Amino acid sequence: DSILAQSQEVRAPPSPGISVGYGSVTALPVLVGIKNNPDGALLRDVLPADVYARWQPLKAKYIGDNNGIERERPTFVADELFRKGLAHAGLSANGGVDDSIFRIATKNKIRITRTGVTVGIDSPFKAVRAFKKSKLDDLRCFAKTVEQLESDIDAMRIRANAWAKGDIAVIQNLSFAERDEACSDAIMNSVLSELQPEILTMKSKARDSWLAAAEKSLATNKSTFAMLKMKDILDAKGLVAALEAKGYLVEKPE
């Protein structure tokens, strides 16, 4: 609160996204079944046998009796499994931190700047129909989710507590999972990117846009408060490292 009160601007994290643009009940019929595997395939039909065997106890533990989920694509099942796994461990993907910071900024009348790149789908109905018929390269997403829930729940809890206490040393000693990237790539590299090629450059454009805006803030503000994922702060290829490579002085907290 005290740091925000001294700042002239709050900068949100880079946020690439895809906008389908449905806003009417007329879209509902074409959306039915969008999460399901093509041709009525079940999870056991599309997953390697060993991965499917590992999925079974995790389903029983975190999801329970839900036969309908067996019809869904691996990437959608992985998302449901991961959310339920986090909740079971007393964790969540969003602790309301962003909302709290925006609320403080609004109270102090500080400018909030959002840097995002959104690609709008030109032909939503065509895209949905093509997506429903297509196959996704999402087996890595599912396997990474299973792997993380099998072995990394304790590490995620340690990382969450380290973040809450500001223990940078502990956070740096824990490797960041590849799950999120694998799952987002499954969607971005799908048939949607064939219909809308700019989807493939969305992440890099969001990154470049954030860096350009950050340099502008550094040049014009006495103090700017920026929010980033820990990976973008600590990763050797992250956004803070990119600023350091441009010659900016980066001071790590003690």
Side-chain angles (χ1 to χ4, degrees):
D1 201 334
S2 62
I3 297 297
L4 280 165
Q6 300 170 35
S7 300
Q8 291 77 57
E9 181 182 8
V10 170
R11 184 162 294 286
S15 55
I18 299 173
S19 172
V20 178
Y22 284 116
S24 168
V25 292
T26 57
L28 292 179
V30 75
L31 290 174
V32 171
I34 193 172
K35 295 172 69 174
N36 293 346
N37 288 300
D39 303 320
L42 300 176
L43 270 181
R44 65 169 176 264
D45 302 321
V46 298
L47 292 176
D50 62 320
V51 175
Y52 186 77
R54 291 163 63 193
W55 143 254
Q56 291 292 292
L58 292 174
K59 176 192 175 186
K61 182 176 181 178
Y62 297 127
I63 296 178
D65 187 17
N66 180 356
N67 292 328
I69 202 168
E70 294 283 341
R71 293 193 292 270
E72 294 183 10
R73 295 174 184 264
T75 188
F76 294 115
V77 179
D79 182 63
E80 178 74 3
L81 178 63
F82 193 66
R83 286 191 298 105
K84 292 289 180 64
L86 287 182
H88 187 271
L91 300 169
S92 78
N94 185 356
V97 176
D98 291 9
D99 290 341
S100 296
I101 290 174
F102 292 147
R103 193 160 49 246
I104 296 169
T106 301
K107 180 185 70 175
N108 288 284
K109 298 181 179 179
I110 302 165
R111 183 171 74 257
I112 299 172
T113 305
R114 290 176 171 84
T115 305
V117 173
T118 300
V119 174
I121 301 298
D122 292 336
S123 304
F125 284 91
K126 179 181 178 181
V128 169
R129 289 192 181 97
F131 184 83
K132 287 167 71 171
K133 294 177 183 178
S134 69
K135 291 183 178 180
L136 288 181
D137 185 14
D138 55 359
L139 298 185
R140 182 169 172 264
C141 165
F142 193 90
K144 285 292 179 184
T145 302
V146 168
E147 178 185 331
Q148 193 163 0
L149 289 176
E150 285 176 334
S151 62
D152 197 35
I153 282 289
D154 287 339
M156 284 191 282
R157 188 183 289 111
I158 292 170
R159 186 182 300 129
N161 286 329
W163 180 91
K165 294 184 293 184
D167 195 334
I168 301 297
V170 171
I171 296 173
Q172 285 179 313
N173 287 331
L174 293 168
S175 61
F176 288 94
E178 300 173 358
R179 178 198 171 272
D180 290 350
E181 188 171 346
C183 293
S184 64
D185 285 350
I187 299 296
M188 291 187 180
N189 295 329
S190 68
V191 67
L192 295 180
S193 65
E194 296 177 15
L195 297 172
Q196 211 85 24
E198 58 266 40
I199 288 175
L200 294 174
T201 59
M202 190 168 56
K203 281 185 179 180
S204 62
K205 285 182 178 178
R207 175 187 171 90
D208 292 344
S209 177
W210 188 93
L211 284 170
E215 289 199 85
K216 181 180 178 181
S217 296
L218 285 164
T220 57
N221 298 333
K222 183 178 179 181
S223 174
T224 303
F225 188 103
M227 293 183 289
L228 290 172
K229 293 182 178 180
M230 292 305 299
K231 182 176 181 180
D232 281 322
I233 296 172
L234 299 176
D235 194 286
K237 295 181 180 178
L239 290 165
V240 171
L243 285 172
E244 191 170 25
K246 288 176 173 285
Y248 291 97
L249 175 65
V250 174
E251 296 179 350
K252 295 181 181 180
E254 297 295 332

